[in-house]
Amino acid sequence: METPQQVLDVPPPVSQSGKDFADHPDFARVDREVRLALPRYRNELGKYSIHRSSACISCGKCVEICPNNVHRRPEGYRNLMRPFDYLCSGYDCEKTDHFCVKACPQGALSLSENPAFKTLGDRRWTPDLLASCWMMAETGHAPPSHLESEIGASEGGFDRLRIRFPGAPPSDLRKEDISTEIVLNKRDDDRPKVKIDVPWYGGGMSFGSTNIRVQLGKARAAKAWNTFSCTGEGGYPDRFVPYKDHMITQVATGLFGVREETIQHARIVEFKYAQGAKPGLGGHLLGDKNTPTVAAMREAVVGTSLFSPFPFHSVYSIEDHKKHLDWIGHVNRSTLLSTKVSTPDDVEMVAVGSYCAGTHIVHLDGCYGGTGAAPDIAKKNIAMPIEYAISNVHQFLVDEGVRDEVALIVSGGVRTPWDIVKAIALGADGIVTGTAEVVATSCIRCGRCESGRGCPRGICTTDAELHQVLSTDWCTQRLVNMYNAWREILVDILWRLGLDSVTALRGRTDLLTHLDYEGAEEDS
Amino acid sequence: MPEKYHIHTHPEAPRFRIEGKLGIVDWREDCASCQNCVKKGCVYDIYKEETTALHEERGYLDYIYKCKGCLTCVQNCTKNILTRVVNTEYERLGDDYYKPEILLTTWFQAETGSIPVSGCGYGGPFSGPGFDSMWTDMSEIVRPTRDGIHGREYINTSVDIGRKLNHLSFNDGELDVKSPPIISSPLPLMFAELPVNWLRGSVPGILANVAKNLGLFSIVRENEIGDQDASMVNTVIPLLNNGSNGDSFVDSPMVIIPDSPDVLNTVESLKNAKAERIVAVRVMASPSVAGRVVSLVGAGVEVVNLVHDRSGREDAPDSPRHVRDVVRDVHGALLKAGTRDEMTLISSGGIALPEHMTKAVICGADLVTIDIPLLLAIECRLCGECEHGNPCSIRLEETEKEYGTQRVTNLMGTWHNQLLEMMGAMGIREARRLRGETGRCMFVEDLEKQAFGRLFGKRKTDYVI
């Protein structure tokens, strides 16, 4: 079996230190080409299990017929490899002529549901959604049809919305002509009209909370797809500099790592007032994660817990907020200003106030989302789900006559390209993704980001040993692949809707239906 | 500034094995005995004692409670002999209201004294019945706000119980009115009287002890109050039987009497016996309860204890309302009558999690009572065996006092901290001001109507709340 390194066909990284990056500018080169990025665990989890008994005579019939490459015999070997059953399409295969269980002359194969698969995920990220994300990250294309890749099981919000497709797309609309670009500066000012190639960018995950290799993978994928990633509030390691044109510098209450040069680097500076994972509670980096490197970056004492208190003590009104924006706007006269807020009851007022203060991007982060550790009580109970906020804020901005002067970017539970379409149809311009990115790098959402040595899967940890379990190249390729799959699906949906651009989708609620409302049809 | 109210916690491990949600199944017979077994790489060291345990014939370790479910071992095992399954014992825990996850989180809090924290967002349903159909608000930019829980300001979680004057009057510079008796609880909760099945062994004593230590009040049926420690007189609130004269409890700060046709006479006689003693009237939640409460308060009742069933429902033949709506109804009726600020409303039933306490107060209660979570803290499984007269599988009645006291104290500590989290997010510094602040929360039906109603028209079915 090929290792991820062989598949990617790039030289192994040396030590991935800051100096390596400075000394090897080629390392910053990255493209959006899809390459197979295999799972990094020996036993990838799939929906089904294929068991090969001792009756197998290694005749190779299964290898011959399986279109999913579940059965393999390495060249030069007589025996077969253990089935790669995570690729198996399961009972959907029974009625085909390539059903290995039926075709096996020895009756040595059996198919069953994988009990471990059922233990994955939760109502929002079902096992099928997780596996779909992993498949997209591996292959760069839409997940197989035996996985429910469009909705979760939360029984509300995006999971009850459906897209209404017309009978047939216009015959003169070609998929290659469909645009997925969005412009992030809609104001008539002298700042750059920053445009991204896809209607999403990566969310902030701070240095200190997240493996630097994952952060770099995010940054590199953002560069490949001409979009952005975000520093989070943890400083700006030197290794980000080669990707500075695609990194948003986040300014939050702790001001960790906020320096004049990191503001100067940025094409977008994001003020984080709140985050959906813990609205109104600020940030908290546990002392265990505050290693010497992290502490140096944050100019803090090693081993102490670091708080980004809520709220900004200098902001108690929109006028104060404007002063904040003016401050950054003067430090960097070509940067765009983004305001990240959560979703309180009066989120419409917050959004229009931010617009009046001069922000270019209003970023709403609804509850239920977020990647970082947060009190369970906050995640479940504080602030409104993003689906409501998008609809309300979009309409309010329209009513105020300013909708076309500000970019409305949303996050907090946007998991799939289908969710992206629903969010944009409800009124957003684009979305921010975070959880899907960590899932693509093989997060299983066990939620143990904060316990012990941090994420046991090496994604959100500062533990030196756990850092080694994944590489920057692998993370990059997984994300490049996922972005490609997302874009392919997005384009396909737009094509089926007869829209020639993603901007034409914004606010098209007529293209949505809600299963809990009269007139909705399950098969929409 | 007064000293901050703080509940001191420290870990208190469970006496019995806890049923975890997920278990690792290990098909040992196919093991390849790798030199670099994945078990050695477990970041949580759950396999650390396996060899010793097997060597000493202590049996297999169980990987159900300690396993964090990261799947690293399952996915890395050379022979793929490890797998993970959902623990069926876990799925059978609790009942329709006290679901397994409520039991597990309560046990965790009682053990560690820490609030549950996890990553990767919320994984539950979009909304649900009862308290799960509302979200609390948070302050952001455009409203006066406050420091978070780690900031400089003090969030006061105490509430007053008793009648309040709606105005003061003075005569020649001196106060001309007599202030009615009032007592304060440092948290907007008190311990409810225990369901009879749990009235055994050391359990009542443990809860009374915690209430005393933390300055909380505990309700106890009058016939269950034995020769109590004198130090507990100020924290035990007798629940009097119908017709009782309460003579044995003149030193109690408050008594509760059941509602009855002549309840006002009973209140009067109890007040005549001791005017400084608060008298609360217990009424059962029902579709017509708001009118009854307004009537009682109008007649001078200072505290009303509104009782729902264990799952927070009123007594009604069809579609019984949840605490959420009953309390809002009663609170609204009292506001309309202009008497809300003169009385105290205590809501009982349906409080299983700390957010339920916060949300009940937002809906209009001054404070709530809790019972089952206290029993969960000392490891009750809610198996129901005791209801059938069978022995308790974990011998709850033999719970050691120190152990039980710490477990319940830990739970109260986490509830206090979680109340601070929610109040901090809302920018509210006083639990007293949280009462009835429905403007600082969002109800699912309102949000749906506002966001989706205008887009999609009429819902097919009403919400189940």
Side-chain angles (χ1 to χ4, degrees):
Chain A
M1 182 181 173
E2 293 168 302
T3 66
Q5 200 61 63
Q6 288 165 334
V7 171
L8 295 176
D9 194 26
V10 292
V14 190
S15 65
Q16 299 184 336
S17 68
K19 189 168 181 308
D20 292 331
F21 276 69
D23 292 349
H24 298 87
D26 282 357
F27 197 73
R29 198 175 57 214
V30 62
D31 60 52
R32 62 177 72 169
E33 186 181 338
V34 169
R35 302 178 182 90
L36 198 60
L38 296 174
R40 60 187 166 96
Y41 290 97
R42 177 186 291 271
N43 311 312
E44 181 69 348
L45 292 165
K47 198 167 185 174
Y48 303 103
S49 290
I50 293 282
H51 177 68
R52 180 181 290 122
S53 75
S54 56
C56 173
I57 56 171
S58 300
C59 68
K61 178 73 176 172
C62 52
V63 180
E64 190 185 307
I65 63 171
C66 180
N68 298 325
N69 218 11
V70 172
H71 304 283
R72 300 177 197 178
R73 174 158 38 202
E75 201 171 329
Y77 285 78
R78 195 185 80 79
N79 292 328
L80 305 180
M81 296 177 78
R82 183 151 50 82
F84 289 78
D85 44 13
Y86 79 97
L87 298 170
C88 177
S89 56
Y91 299 105
D92 286 356
C93 195
E94 276 182 335
K95 292 173 188 157
T96 68
D97 56 1
H98 47 73
F99 184 47
C100 61
V101 174
K102 193 174 164 190
C104 176
Q106 300 297 312
L109 296 172
S110 59
L111 168 69
S112 60
E113 291 190 1
N114 181 359
F117 189 75
K118 293 179 186 170
T119 68
L120 291 173
D122 47 55
R123 299 281 288 269
R124 298 193 66 80
W125 275 89
T126 58
D128 280 48
L129 278 188
L130 288 171
S132 301
C133 189
W134 294 332
M135 290 303 290
M136 287 190 279
E138 178 177 340
T139 66
H141 303 293
S145 60
H146 71 273
L147 297 171
E148 172 50 83
S149 58
E150 296 174 18
I151 54 167
S154 74
E155 298 178 359
F158 291 136
D159 289 343
R160 298 297 285 170
L161 288 167
R162 297 290 184 273
I163 301 166
R164 297 161 66 117
F165 291 106
S171 56
D172 57 346
L173 181 62
R174 300 188 315 160
K175 284 187 181 177
E176 50 269 38
D177 295 333
I178 293 174
S179 167
T180 56
E181 290 178 348
I182 61 168
V183 175
L184 296 175
N185 179 10
K186 294 170 177 285
R187 286 179 179 268
D188 185 19
D189 62 11
D190 56 359
R191 294 183 186 253
K193 298 290 177 196
V194 175
K195 189 187 287 183
I196 53 179
D197 289 355
V198 285
W200 64 80
Y201 56 79
M205 294 175 67
S206 65
F207 180 70
S209 71
T210 310
N211 188 338
I212 182 70
R213 299 179 179 194
V214 175
Q215 286 190 294
L216 285 170
K218 279 162 53 75
R220 287 162 62 79
K223 181 175 179 179
W225 278 95
N226 185 33
T227 181
F228 286 88
S229 186
C230 178
T231 60
E233 192 203 17
Y236 205 111
D238 289 344
R239 280 169 277 185
F240 286 175
V241 175
Y243 313 101
K244 63 184 171 57
D245 287 346
H246 301 278
M247 285 299 283
I248 296 170
T249 296
Q250 187 179 84
V251 179
T253 56
L255 299 177
F256 296 124
V258 176
R259 302 189 304 276
E260 185 166 338
E261 64 267 29
T262 64
I263 300 298
Q264 294 284 4
H265 286 325
R267 294 167 71 203
I268 301 176
V269 175
E270 174 181 280
F271 275 98
K272 186 188 80 176
Y273 284 91
Q275 59 194 102
K278 38 195 165 187
L281 298 181
H284 178 189
L285 185 76
L286 295 174
D288 289 346
K289 282 191 165 185
N290 188 10
T291 61
T293 318
V294 173
M297 183 61 62
R298 298 191 180 208
E299 299 177 68
V301 177
V302 177
T304 56
S305 291
L306 300 177
F307 296 103
S308 300
F310 180 84
F312 273 110
H313 298 312
S314 47
V315 179
Y316 288 86
S317 68
I318 287 298
E319 290 73 19
D320 293 339
H321 173 45
K322 184 173 187 327
K323 280 192 283 187
H324 254 190
L325 296 177
D326 288 347
W327 161 46
I328 296 294
H330 279 84
V331 174
N332 182 343
R333 290 182 177 274
S334 61
T335 192
L336 302 190
L337 303 167
S338 171
T339 303
K340 179 179 179 180
V341 295
S342 192
T343 50
D345 189 28
D346 56 356
V347 62
E348 306 94 331
M349 295 302 296
V350 174
V352 80
S354 295
Y355 161 76
C356 292
T359 197
H360 298 91
I361 300 167
V362 172
H363 175 182
L364 307 179
D365 193 19
C367 69
Y368 293 171
T371 52
D376 290 352
I377 195 168
K379 294 194 293 189
K380 177 185 173 188
N381 297 292
I382 303 176
M384 74 170 80
I386 193 65
E387 292 91 331
Y388 298 137
I390 300 171
S391 174
N392 292 345
V393 170
H394 169 72
Q395 192 56 48
F396 196 78
L397 292 172
V398 168
D399 293 344
E400 292 294 310
V402 298
R403 181 63 190 89
D404 289 330
E405 295 177 47
V406 65
L408 180 62
I409 303 293
V410 302
S411 60
V414 184
R415 303 153 293 182
T416 67
W418 295 84
D419 286 352
I420 294 174
V421 169
K422 293 168 188 173
I424 294 175
L426 282 173
D429 287 288
I431 67 105
V432 169
T433 177
T435 302
E437 289 185 328
V438 294
V439 170
T441 56
S442 78
C443 166
I444 58 162
R445 287 174 62 76
C446 67
R448 307 293 178 178
C449 318
E450 89 302 344
S451 45
R453 292 155 58 190
C455 170
R457 298 174 77 88
I459 301 165
C460 298
T461 178
T462 52
D463 183 274
E465 186 184 350
L466 292 172
H467 261 201
Q468 309 300 321
V469 302
L470 42 74
S471 74
T472 302
D473 300 307
W474 182 82
C475 290
T476 305
Q477 195 59 56
R478 295 279 287 192
L479 293 173
V480 165
N481 287 354
M482 186 184 80
Y483 282 15
N484 188 75
W486 278 20
R487 190 179 182 279
E488 284 182 355
I489 296 169
L490 174 61
V491 166
D492 183 62
I493 294 171
L494 292 172
W495 177 74
R496 291 172 64 192
L497 289 171
L499 300 174
D500 62 0
S501 72
V502 74
T503 53
L505 176 66
R506 194 191 74 190
R508 289 291 303 275
T509 52
D510 59 308
L511 299 176
L512 295 176
T513 186
H514 194 300
L515 296 184
D516 294 335
Y517 288 79
E518 288 181 356
E521 296 167 13
E522 278 284 348
D523 58 352
S524 294
Chain B
M1 179 185 287
E3 189 182 348
K4 288 184 180 180
Y5 181 71
H6 182 70
I7 296 175
H8 295 278
T9 63
H10 68 73
E12 190 68 62
R15 293 181 302 152
F16 297 92
R17 193 193 77 169
I18 284 179
E19 297 295 352
K21 182 176 182 181
L22 303 167
I24 296 292
V25 176
D26 184 353
W27 304 99
R28 289 182 171 83
E29 60 268 28
D30 202 20
C31 177
S33 299
C34 306
Q35 290 301 306
N36 192 25
C37 177
V38 288
K39 293 179 180 178
K40 293 177 187 169
C42 175
V43 298
Y44 304 111
D45 282 340
I46 70 160
Y47 297 105
K48 196 174 175 183
E49 294 179 29
E50 184 180 64
T51 309
T52 318
L54 289 172
H55 182 71
E56 295 174 358
E57 298 183 344
R58 280 194 273 134
Y60 295 120
L61 294 177
D62 88 67
Y63 305 128
I64 291 179
Y65 179 53
K66 288 183 178 175
C67 176
K68 307 284 188 188
C70 73
L71 284 177
T72 309
C73 61
V74 172
Q75 288 194 262
N76 271 336
C77 175
T78 312
K79 297 282 283 182
N80 199 12
I81 60 169
L82 299 171
T83 190
R84 187 174 77 171
V85 292
V86 175
N87 179 10
T88 51
E89 292 291 325
Y90 169 82
E91 290 180 315
R92 283 202 290 267
L93 287 173
D95 53 35
D96 286 347
Y97 195 73
Y98 284 88
K99 294 189 167 27
E101 52 264 38
I102 293 181
L103 270 64
L104 203 60
T105 187
T106 305
W107 290 334
F108 171 84
Q109 292 170 56
E111 177 182 346
T112 63
S114 303
I115 66 174
V117 172
S118 61
C120 260
Y122 174 62
F126 187 82
S127 66
F131 289 120
D132 287 347
S133 61
M134 60 189 284
W135 294 271
T136 60
D137 200 12
M138 43 90 63
S139 60
E140 197 153 60
I141 303 182
V142 293
R143 275 187 305 233
T145 182
R146 56 162 303 283
D147 290 348
I149 55 167
H150 308 294
R152 294 157 293 192
E153 296 185 27
Y154 178 41
I155 297 178
N156 188 343
T157 57
S158 67
V159 293
D160 300 325
I161 305 165
R163 189 171 194 85
K164 292 109 186 170
L165 298 172
N166 61 13
H167 67 280
L168 298 177
S169 58
F170 296 87
N171 184 9
D172 202 17
E174 297 293 321
L175 193 61
D176 195 30
V177 287
K178 190 174 179 208
S179 181
I182 203 163
I183 56 177
S184 289
S185 170
L187 285 174
L189 67 81
M190 56 173 64
F191 294 176
E193 74 280 13
L194 286 179
V196 288
N197 300 328
W198 283 277
L199 275 173
R200 54 181 200 266
S202 58
V203 177
I206 287 170
L207 300 186
N209 199 35
V210 175
K212 182 193 74 173
N213 293 347
L214 301 183
L216 300 170
F217 296 101
S218 65
I219 302 169
V220 183
R221 295 180 193 88
E222 71 167 305
N223 53 313
E224 291 157 9
I225 300 176
D227 296 330
Q228 58 181 324
D229 188 329
S231 63
M232 291 185 180
V233 170
N234 290 328
T235 58
V236 170
I237 295 178
L239 172 61
L240 303 185
N241 297 326
N242 229 337
S244 168
N245 59 19
D247 285 349
S248 306
F249 309 107
V250 287
D251 293 329
S252 297
M254 179 172 125
V255 292
I256 301 176
I257 57 173
D259 192 13
S260 65
D262 65 341
V263 70
L264 294 175
N265 292 331
T266 311
V267 171
E268 187 179 3
S269 66
L270 287 165
K271 294 299 276 187
N272 287 339
K274 188 169 184 183
E276 292 76 25
R277 182 173 54 184
I278 298 167
V279 180
V281 175
R282 170 171 283 192
V283 295
M284 306 309 289
S286 68
S288 60
V289 73
R292 178 60 179 161
V293 173
V294 169
S295 157
L296 288 170
V297 173
V301 170
E302 48 200 350
V303 177
V304 172
N305 179 201
L306 182 61
V307 178
H308 308 80
D309 69 14
R310 189 166 106 158
S311 57
R313 297 283 164 186
E314 67 181 356
D315 183 17
D318 299 311
S319 306
R321 295 175 300 170
H322 185 260
V323 177
R324 194 199 90 141
D325 296 316
V326 178
V327 169
R328 285 168 79 194
D329 183 24
V330 171
H331 176 74
L334 289 164
L335 281 176
K336 200 170 176 184
T339 53
R340 181 63 188 93
D341 285 338
E342 296 174 18
M343 57 82 70
T344 302
L345 182 62
I346 304 172
S347 177
S348 295
I351 307 298
L353 291 166
E355 64 254 38
H356 296 174
M357 167 179 68
T358 312
K359 289 176 176 178
V361 173
I362 289 174
C363 287
D366 289 277
L367 68 162
V368 298
T369 71
I370 60 169
D371 46 15
I372 305 291
L374 302 170
L375 301 161
L376 298 179
I378 48 177
E379 295 188 69
C380 176
R381 263 68 172 156
L382 289 187
C383 63
E385 289 297 319
C386 55
E387 290 176 31
H388 301 105
N390 297 326
C392 176
S393 61
I394 59 161
R395 302 190 300 280
L396 207 64
E397 61 278 2
E398 295 174 16
T399 307
E400 298 85 356
K401 187 177 177 185
E402 291 73 20
Y403 163 83
T405 299
Q406 190 57 52
R407 294 272 299 193
V408 179
T409 301
N410 285 351
L411 185 71
M412 289 300 95
T414 62
W415 279 44
H416 178 231
N417 283 334
Q418 288 171 94
L419 174 62
L420 293 181
E421 296 274 8
M422 297 186 82
M423 290 178 65
M426 280 186 276
I428 290 182
R429 280 177 286 172
E430 282 275 353
R432 298 177 182 93
R433 294 193 59 186
L434 189 64
R435 187 203 73 196
E437 274 278 9
T438 49
R440 306 309 304 275
C441 73
M442 297 165 273
F443 297 97
V444 69
E445 63 272 29
D446 297 338
L447 289 174
E448 280 279 329
K449 190 174 177 186
Q450 185 185 7
F452 291 158
R454 65 184 169 80
L455 300 179
F456 306 117
K458 192 166 180 277
R459 277 184 67 90
K460 288 177 183 169
T461 53
D462 287 335
Y463 290 96
V464 180
I465 293 172

